[in-house]
Amino acid sequence: HPSASFQELREGLEFTMEAGGNFCVATHYYALIEDDNLLAILKELISYAKEITGGKVEFVHADALFE
C-alpha cells in the first residue's frame, strides 16, 4: 500500500521471515518518481532487509520473479 510506513513494512518483513515465507514489495516506478518519501522508505526497507539477512536480499524487476 503506498501509504505503508517503514515500520509497517519492517513488521511485515520480520513476520514473513519468522514464518519462513517470501516477502515481496511491489510498486510502480512512477509512484517512486512522484513521491520522494515513498522512494526513501523503499530504499530503507531494502537496506534493512539486506542487513538482517546478511546480504541475501536483492532488488529485482518484476519480470525476474517469473524466470
Side-chain angles (χ1 to χ4, degrees):
H1 189 274
S3 64
S5 69
F6 171 74
Q7 180 64 28
E8 291 169 319
L9 292 169
R10 189 181 85 180
E11 289 171 2
L13 173 64
E14 291 170 352
F15 175 84
T16 302
M17 289 180 62
E18 289 173 10
N22 296 308
F23 189 78
C24 177
V25 175
T27 190
H28 294 283
Y29 72 91
Y30 57 82
L32 299 173
I33 293 170
E34 294 173 357
D35 187 342
D36 289 339
N37 186 53
L38 182 60
L39 180 58
I41 289 171
L42 179 60
K43 288 179 176 180
E44 186 177 10
L45 182 67
I46 293 170
S47 177
Y48 177 71
K50 285 181 178 182
E51 178 185 320
I52 66 171
T53 64
K56 295 179 184 177
V57 169
E58 64 179 301
F59 173 85
V60 297
H61 293 279
D63 293 347
L65 299 172
F66 303 102
E67 292 178 350

